[in-house]
Every structure is written in structure tokens, then in C-alpha cells.
Amino acid sequence: MTTGSLLAADLVIAVLAAAGWLGGGAASAARRRPLTLGLAAFALLATLARAITIIALARAGWWFAAEKVLIAAPLSLAAVGVAVPRLLRASGDIRSVAVPLLFAGYATSSALLVTILHGYPASAGVGLLAVAGVVAATAVSWRALGARPSRTVSRATLVVAVAALVTGTGLTVAPDGAPAVPHDHGYRDARTVGVGEPTRRFTLTAGTATVSVSGRDVAAWAFNAQVPGPELTATVGDVVEVTLRNRDIERGVTLHWHGYDVPNSQDGVPGVTQAAVLPGQEFVYRFRADQAGTYWYHTHSVSDVGVRMGLYGVLVVRPGPMTGLDVTVPVHTLGGRPLPAPRTERVEAGTPVRLRLINTDSTTHRYALAGTAFRVAAIDGFDLRGPTPLVDTAVLIPAGGRYDLVFDAPATPVALLVDERAVYSTGSVSTATGAWPVLDPLTYGVASPVPWSRFDRKFTLVLDRGLDLHELLPRYAHTVNGAADPDIPPQVVRLGDVVRFTIVNRSQTVHPWHLHGHHVLVLSRDGKPAAGSPLWLDSFDVRPGEVWEVAFRADNPGMWANHCHNLAHADAGMTLHLMYS
Ligand code: C2O
Ligand code: CU
């Protein structure tokens, strides 16, 4: 069983246990003896089963089990300890076990809520809050069922509840006051950044537009009235200058060069590296094109909405003059419909072809190239070492990620399918690709040793969901280490540090991780060292239950966003910052 399915099973079992005890309590209050005994037996089994999932999760990694071991397990133990002896002694009126069974129900529910609402890391405040809830609910049931809690019990309840409120909520509101990300600290646009005279100039004007997608008009936000925006191309050594204008996007726009490790002042993150460009304003970006490869650009102002509405485009930097056929395939979902429109062209046999696959959506896409053997030449703009030919193999590209596939055109047609839909072909191909195996980039190509043996800084990011009080409005945020943006403490590094991130996903959804300004080298996944070509990524899917170790050299000073590229998640809390001291 994978850790991801263990996490899901644990949740289901926890729900069953809580429901069983609560149902048993209700049945006994209604004097339904057989039903009470049946539900209690079921609940007991579920509670014991949860002990097994908790142990298994603790073995997979402490991050997956901390609050379960420290808070949920003691609560479940108390549930069993209180309910079972009373059940065994319940010979007369079955109603006499109602309060103990309800107590067990509250204890197991509270154990469940701690996992759903808080998660990692476990804290004393949260534990106390959980206990207070159980005590209070039990006291209320006790009263409602006619019995009276003694004065000592009532007083104790009050004390626990007050203490819990003070410590517990205090923790959710301010998890140790994160040093704030600087605002408006004299942002520089390209006119003040000396990288030389531009050799490639572009102007992108953002505005609302109506674009046609598979024959239907869709309201979009577009660069130069087209979705995707114009394809920007350059050759290594060029100085690229892009003037961004905002015609009428009320919520502001910026340009972020996804995967391009530009100087910090050109990175396009509003409130961090520049102010958002408002209607009527402009901003000039300038950077030297020193990395060849496939990249993309997109707005970073209300990025969840902005990118989804169409403010994105392709950036391709070539090492020299173009040879062969070079096709970019930026995949996107606009107004619920897939882009790009399918395209067919005739290609002469023997022509070298490079397909640049770009996923600009917020979720993973599956790509399959039928009709030819191919190699994955590059991922996220970095060439792979010793890629071998692949046949009938699909690739999964994370949100924000890019794969370059290369092959020599055969005499027979080839077709590229995205999620089973043909988007590019050289003729008609009828191959079912749905059952193809998926390439694991961690075992593809030829390995070379990791360039570092020690790490100056190590950070762990535990990804989850949790209750967050955002400006005192509760929200079910996407969290990192139990906190949500803007309360996640920044990661502070020094120029030259070798930094290691351990990224743990204990949630039920995929999180495509994306660090700005740096490519990270994949060290391992789930404890298994990467065995293929060195993988220098800027976007990678951390699936439920997975643990990734990646590293990079801190060589690009500034304040960098570090976030999930499911942009709805990023917006709902899953964003933090890497900061140079
Ligand atoms: Cu492609 Cu911070 O984003
Ligand atoms: Cu996410």
C-alpha cells in the first residue's frame, strides 16, 4: 500500500470509528439494545484498525503521523478505555452506557478533526483544544440525558476550555510572527537594471478580449488580444526586453518568466519584486537570455484567475540557429475547453522534430506520442544526460512543467495526444495510448554524481490542508507546516549556500511544487535516490504520500516566491518565500 492510499484509508477508518461510537451512543439513548451493541462492536473494530494505519503511517515518516500518534491515539485509547468496560457491565438498562459511548464518539471525532483541521506539526495547544471539545460535549450530553455532571467536573471543564481557547486559537492566528515580505522597497524596472542593450524587443499589452476556442466565443484576459500570448523567442546571448502594458485588467498584471532564472527585480511577483501594473501603467523587463530551452511567461497578479483567463505565453530560447522542425504545444484549459486547437502538417521523412510540450494549467496532463520512437531531450529547459529511445510510453507533465520530445520524422504519420485528444499530427494515426506505461524521469537517462555532499541549510515543507484564520475569517487553507500565506515563515539562506528541501505531501491532492529563480536538483523520492539523468527542475508533482528531496545552490540573491503551482492552492495559502540574508 502506498503512503497516499494509507492516508486515505486512515481518514475513512477514522470517520467510521467516530460514526460508530456516536451511532451507538444515540442507539443506547433510544434503548435499542441490539443496535447499540452492533454499532459499538463495529466502532471498536474501526478504532483498533486505526491503530494499525497510524503505526503504518508513523513508519512511512513522522510527518504523516505526528498528530495522530500524539493526539488522536491517546483520545482513541480513552474512548476504548471508557466505553468498553461500561459496555461489558451493562446488564440492565442499555441507556446507562449512552454517555460513555457518546464520550467515545466525541473523542474519536475530535481525533479525526485534529487530522483534518490541523495536521502537522502537532502542538500542545491543539491537543488541549481537542480535549476541551470532548469534555464540553460530554458534559452537555450528560446533562441532556438527565444525569448531572458533578461540580468538580463542570469546573474542570471550564478550566480546560479556557486554557485551550487561549493556547489553541493563539496558535492558529499567529504561528510565530513571520518576518514580513518587504513591500514597495524601491522596485526597479529594466530601465535601471544594467544588462546591456536589448537585442530582442517585445511589447505585451494585457487586456480583456473575446477569443474563439473550438468554435465558441470565450471571455478571456489576453496579451495582444490572443490566447496564448505571442510566442517570444530568443537566442542564447540575446538581451530580451519586454514592455508590459495594462489596458484594462483591473486586478493588475505582471510578467513572471516561469523557469527562467532571471535577476530578482525582473521576476514579476507583485508585492515582492514589483508593484502590480495597473490599467494605464507599464513596466519594462530586461534580462539576458543565458539559458536555452522551453519556458513560459504568465501574469503573477491574482495568478489563479489571471493565468486561467489566458494571460500566458511561450518563451523559447534557442542555443543557435534553428534546425529541423520546432513545434511548441502549450496546453491550457480556457473557459472549460482545451487549447491548442488540433493541428496537422505534412513533414518530410527524416526531418528532425522537437516538440516542446508545456503545461500551463494547474493540474497534471498526460501526453502520448504515437507512431514513432522518441527521446525526452530536456525537462524544464535542462537537457537530460543520455536519454534513450522510448516507444509507446506516455509522459506526465506537472502544472508549469515542460518536456522537449525529439525524433526524426518517420515516413508514416505520428500524433501527439494530450489526455487522449490529438493536438498535433503529421497524418492520421489510430492508436490507443490510454494503457501505455508512464515514464518515470527519476530512472531515465544516465546518472552522474550529485555535485554536493553536504548541505548548509535544510528545510522541510509538509504540505496539507488546515483551518486558518485569515484576517480572522476562517478558511480551509492549503498549508505548509501547518501555516498558510502570509503566515509561513520565509526560508532564509546566504549567497553560496547549498540548500536542501524535503517536501512531504500529507494531503489528498497533488501539489506541483515551483521555486522561483532557481532550478533544483532531484536527490530522491520516497527515500529512493534518483537514478537517472540529473534532473534540474522548476516544477515537479509531489503526489499524496510522497516525500521528495531536492537541492540547489543559492546563487541568485533576492526574495523569491516558493509555491504550489496549482494556482488555486497557491492562492489559498500554499505560498512562502525564499529570502537571502
Ligand atoms: Cu509559474 Cu510563481 O509561478
Ligand atoms: Cu497544491
PDB file of all heavy atoms in Angstrom, residues 463 478 507 509-513 563-570 574, ligand 2:
ATOM      1  N   LEU A 463       3.177  19.565   3.279  1.00  0.00           N
ATOM      2  CA  LEU A 463       2.025  20.143   2.574  1.00  0.00           C
ATOM      3  C   LEU A 463       0.743  19.452   3.036  1.00  0.00           C
ATOM      4  O   LEU A 463       0.678  18.225   3.106  1.00  0.00           O
ATOM      5  CB  LEU A 463       2.186  19.964   1.061  1.00  0.00           C
ATOM      6  CG  LEU A 463       3.582  20.300   0.507  1.00  0.00           C
ATOM      7  CD1 LEU A 463       3.608  20.102  -0.999  1.00  0.00           C
ATOM      8  CD2 LEU A 463       3.963  21.730   0.868  1.00  0.00           C
ATOM      9  N   HIS A 478      -4.758  25.692   2.112  1.00  0.00           N
ATOM     10  CA  HIS A 478      -3.697  24.757   1.759  1.00  0.00           C
ATOM     11  C   HIS A 478      -2.469  25.234   2.516  1.00  0.00           C
ATOM     12  O   HIS A 478      -2.070  26.387   2.374  1.00  0.00           O
ATOM     13  CB  HIS A 478      -3.465  24.759   0.245  1.00  0.00           C
ATOM     14  CG  HIS A 478      -4.583  24.099  -0.498  1.00  0.00           C
ATOM     15  ND1 HIS A 478      -4.612  22.749  -0.748  1.00  0.00           N
ATOM     16  CD2 HIS A 478      -5.730  24.593  -0.998  1.00  0.00           C
ATOM     17  CE1 HIS A 478      -5.725  22.438  -1.388  1.00  0.00           C
ATOM     18  NE2 HIS A 478      -6.420  23.548  -1.563  1.00  0.00           N
ATOM     19  N   SER A 507      -1.400  15.451   2.107  1.00  0.00           N
ATOM     20  CA  SER A 507      -2.781  15.766   1.761  1.00  0.00           C
ATOM     21  C   SER A 507      -3.311  14.742   0.759  1.00  0.00           C
ATOM     22  O   SER A 507      -2.630  13.793   0.408  1.00  0.00           O
ATOM     23  CB  SER A 507      -2.855  17.162   1.150  1.00  0.00           C
ATOM     24  OG  SER A 507      -2.425  17.106  -0.199  1.00  0.00           O
ATOM     25  N   THR A 509      -4.305  15.588  -2.341  1.00  0.00           N
ATOM     26  CA  THR A 509      -4.187  16.078  -3.720  1.00  0.00           C
ATOM     27  C   THR A 509      -2.725  16.287  -4.112  1.00  0.00           C
ATOM     28  O   THR A 509      -1.868  16.446  -3.261  1.00  0.00           O
ATOM     29  CB  THR A 509      -4.898  17.435  -3.908  1.00  0.00           C
ATOM     30  OG1 THR A 509      -4.668  18.218  -2.738  1.00  0.00           O
ATOM     31  CG2 THR A 509      -6.372  17.272  -4.145  1.00  0.00           C
ATOM     32  N   VAL A 510      -2.503  16.325  -5.419  1.00  0.00           N
ATOM     33  CA  VAL A 510      -1.158  16.546  -5.953  1.00  0.00           C
ATOM     34  C   VAL A 510      -0.773  18.013  -5.763  1.00  0.00           C
ATOM     35  O   VAL A 510      -1.597  18.900  -5.969  1.00  0.00           O
ATOM     36  CB  VAL A 510      -1.146  16.218  -7.457  1.00  0.00           C
ATOM     37  CG1 VAL A 510       0.224  16.482  -8.063  1.00  0.00           C
ATOM     38  CG2 VAL A 510      -1.573  14.785  -7.685  1.00  0.00           C
ATOM     39  N   HIS A 511       0.472  18.251  -5.389  1.00  0.00           N
ATOM     40  CA  HIS A 511       0.958  19.625  -5.316  1.00  0.00           C
ATOM     41  C   HIS A 511       2.169  19.787  -6.225  1.00  0.00           C
ATOM     42  O   HIS A 511       3.250  19.288  -5.929  1.00  0.00           O
ATOM     43  CB  HIS A 511       1.305  20.002  -3.876  1.00  0.00           C
ATOM     44  CG  HIS A 511       0.120  19.989  -2.969  1.00  0.00           C
ATOM     45  ND1 HIS A 511      -0.947  20.840  -3.132  1.00  0.00           N
ATOM     46  CD2 HIS A 511      -0.193  19.195  -1.937  1.00  0.00           C
ATOM     47  CE1 HIS A 511      -1.864  20.580  -2.219  1.00  0.00           C
ATOM     48  NE2 HIS A 511      -1.442  19.585  -1.477  1.00  0.00           N
ATOM     49  N   PRO A 512       1.990  20.475  -7.367  1.00  0.00           N
ATOM     50  CA  PRO A 512       3.118  20.731  -8.274  1.00  0.00           C
ATOM     51  C   PRO A 512       3.982  21.846  -7.679  1.00  0.00           C
ATOM     52  O   PRO A 512       3.563  22.997  -7.645  1.00  0.00           O
ATOM     53  CB  PRO A 512       2.424  21.192  -9.558  1.00  0.00           C
ATOM     54  CG  PRO A 512       1.079  21.694  -9.129  1.00  0.00           C
ATOM     55  CD  PRO A 512       0.701  20.975  -7.879  1.00  0.00           C
ATOM     56  N   TRP A 513       5.171  21.497  -7.199  1.00  0.00           N
ATOM     57  CA  TRP A 513       5.961  22.486  -6.466  1.00  0.00           C
ATOM     58  C   TRP A 513       6.812  23.318  -7.408  1.00  0.00           C
ATOM     59  O   TRP A 513       7.341  22.805  -8.392  1.00  0.00           O
ATOM     60  CB  TRP A 513       6.808  21.812  -5.375  1.00  0.00           C
ATOM     61  CG  TRP A 513       7.099  22.843  -4.344  1.00  0.00           C
ATOM     62  CD1 TRP A 513       8.258  23.511  -4.159  1.00  0.00           C
ATOM     63  CD2 TRP A 513       6.151  23.382  -3.416  1.00  0.00           C
ATOM     64  NE1 TRP A 513       8.098  24.460  -3.168  1.00  0.00           N
ATOM     65  CE2 TRP A 513       6.820  24.398  -2.700  1.00  0.00           C
ATOM     66  CE3 TRP A 513       4.808  23.128  -3.132  1.00  0.00           C
ATOM     67  CZ2 TRP A 513       6.188  25.153  -1.706  1.00  0.00           C
ATOM     68  CZ3 TRP A 513       4.185  23.882  -2.144  1.00  0.00           C
ATOM     69  CH2 TRP A 513       4.867  24.875  -1.443  1.00  0.00           C
ATOM     70  N   HIS A 563       6.197  28.146  -4.212  1.00  0.00           N
ATOM     71  CA  HIS A 563       4.771  27.848  -4.022  1.00  0.00           C
ATOM     72  C   HIS A 563       4.293  26.651  -4.821  1.00  0.00           C
ATOM     73  O   HIS A 563       4.998  26.133  -5.698  1.00  0.00           O
ATOM     74  CB  HIS A 563       3.931  29.079  -4.382  1.00  0.00           C
ATOM     75  CG  HIS A 563       4.008  29.507  -5.820  1.00  0.00           C
ATOM     76  ND1 HIS A 563       3.135  29.067  -6.789  1.00  0.00           N
ATOM     77  CD2 HIS A 563       4.859  30.347  -6.457  1.00  0.00           C
ATOM     78  CE1 HIS A 563       3.443  29.622  -7.950  1.00  0.00           C
ATOM     79  NE2 HIS A 563       4.495  30.402  -7.785  1.00  0.00           N
ATOM     80  N   CYS A 564       3.077  26.250  -4.516  1.00  0.00           N
ATOM     81  CA  CYS A 564       2.417  25.205  -5.288  1.00  0.00           C
ATOM     82  C   CYS A 564       1.922  25.851  -6.578  1.00  0.00           C
ATOM     83  O   CYS A 564       1.390  26.953  -6.571  1.00  0.00           O
ATOM     84  CB  CYS A 564       1.244  24.640  -4.503  1.00  0.00           C
ATOM     85  SG  CYS A 564       0.311  23.432  -5.460  1.00  0.00           S
ATOM     86  N   HIS A 565       2.116  25.145  -7.720  1.00  0.00           N
ATOM     87  CA  HIS A 565       1.675  25.725  -8.986  1.00  0.00           C
ATOM     88  C   HIS A 565       0.293  25.266  -9.398  1.00  0.00           C
ATOM     89  O   HIS A 565      -0.148  25.493 -10.527  1.00  0.00           O
ATOM     90  CB  HIS A 565       2.688  25.486 -10.109  1.00  0.00           C
ATOM     91  CG  HIS A 565       2.791  26.652 -11.038  1.00  0.00           C
ATOM     92  ND1 HIS A 565       1.863  26.907 -12.033  1.00  0.00           N
ATOM     93  CD2 HIS A 565       3.676  27.662 -11.089  1.00  0.00           C
ATOM     94  CE1 HIS A 565       2.205  27.999 -12.669  1.00  0.00           C
ATOM     95  NE2 HIS A 565       3.303  28.483 -12.113  1.00  0.00           N
ATOM     96  N   ASN A 566      -0.423  24.614  -8.484  1.00  0.00           N
ATOM     97  CA  ASN A 566      -1.862  24.590  -8.651  1.00  0.00           C
ATOM     98  C   ASN A 566      -2.241  25.957  -8.091  1.00  0.00           C
ATOM     99  O   ASN A 566      -2.248  26.147  -6.867  1.00  0.00           O
ATOM    100  CB  ASN A 566      -2.488  23.451  -7.864  1.00  0.00           C
ATOM    101  CG  ASN A 566      -3.977  23.390  -8.086  1.00  0.00           C
ATOM    102  OD1 ASN A 566      -4.635  24.436  -8.170  1.00  0.00           O
ATOM    103  ND2 ASN A 566      -4.521  22.198  -8.195  1.00  0.00           N
ATOM    104  N   LEU A 567      -2.497  26.903  -8.988  1.00  0.00           N
ATOM    105  CA  LEU A 567      -2.520  28.298  -8.546  1.00  0.00           C
ATOM    106  C   LEU A 567      -3.660  28.585  -7.581  1.00  0.00           C
ATOM    107  O   LEU A 567      -3.578  29.513  -6.782  1.00  0.00           O
ATOM    108  CB  LEU A 567      -2.537  29.228  -9.760  1.00  0.00           C
ATOM    109  CG  LEU A 567      -1.249  29.103 -10.608  1.00  0.00           C
ATOM    110  CD1 LEU A 567      -1.366  29.925 -11.889  1.00  0.00           C
ATOM    111  CD2 LEU A 567      -0.015  29.524  -9.823  1.00  0.00           C
ATOM    112  N   ALA A 568      -4.707  27.755  -7.620  1.00  0.00           N
ATOM    113  CA  ALA A 568      -5.775  27.914  -6.630  1.00  0.00           C
ATOM    114  C   ALA A 568      -5.230  27.579  -5.240  1.00  0.00           C
ATOM    115  O   ALA A 568      -5.564  28.241  -4.253  1.00  0.00           O
ATOM    116  CB  ALA A 568      -6.962  27.021  -6.977  1.00  0.00           C
ATOM    117  N   HIS A 569      -4.364  26.575  -5.167  1.00  0.00           N
ATOM    118  CA  HIS A 569      -3.747  26.233  -3.878  1.00  0.00           C
ATOM    119  C   HIS A 569      -2.828  27.370  -3.417  1.00  0.00           C
ATOM    120  O   HIS A 569      -2.824  27.737  -2.247  1.00  0.00           O
ATOM    121  CB  HIS A 569      -2.915  24.964  -3.982  1.00  0.00           C
ATOM    122  CG  HIS A 569      -3.686  23.732  -4.331  1.00  0.00           C
ATOM    123  ND1 HIS A 569      -3.098  22.500  -4.476  1.00  0.00           N
ATOM    124  CD2 HIS A 569      -5.009  23.537  -4.557  1.00  0.00           C
ATOM    125  CE1 HIS A 569      -4.026  21.597  -4.784  1.00  0.00           C
ATOM    126  NE2 HIS A 569      -5.189  22.209  -4.855  1.00  0.00           N
ATOM    127  N   ALA A 570      -2.036  27.884  -4.359  1.00  0.00           N
ATOM    128  CA  ALA A 570      -1.101  28.961  -4.023  1.00  0.00           C
ATOM    129  C   ALA A 570      -1.862  30.133  -3.423  1.00  0.00           C
ATOM    130  O   ALA A 570      -1.445  30.731  -2.430  1.00  0.00           O
ATOM    131  CB  ALA A 570      -0.334  29.402  -5.264  1.00  0.00           C
ATOM    132  N   MET A 574      -0.859  28.263  -0.016  1.00  0.00           N
ATOM    133  CA  MET A 574       0.340  27.445  -0.212  1.00  0.00           C
ATOM    134  C   MET A 574       1.445  28.212  -0.936  1.00  0.00           C
ATOM    135  O   MET A 574       1.910  27.825  -2.009  1.00  0.00           O
ATOM    136  CB  MET A 574      -0.031  26.174  -0.967  1.00  0.00           C
ATOM    137  CG  MET A 574       0.852  24.998  -0.614  1.00  0.00           C
ATOM    138  SD  MET A 574       0.210  23.476  -1.291  1.00  0.00           S
ATOM    139  CE  MET A 574      -0.306  22.629   0.187  1.00  0.00           C
TER     140      MET A 574
HETATM  141 CU    CU B   2      -1.084  22.383  -4.377  1.00  0.00          CU
END
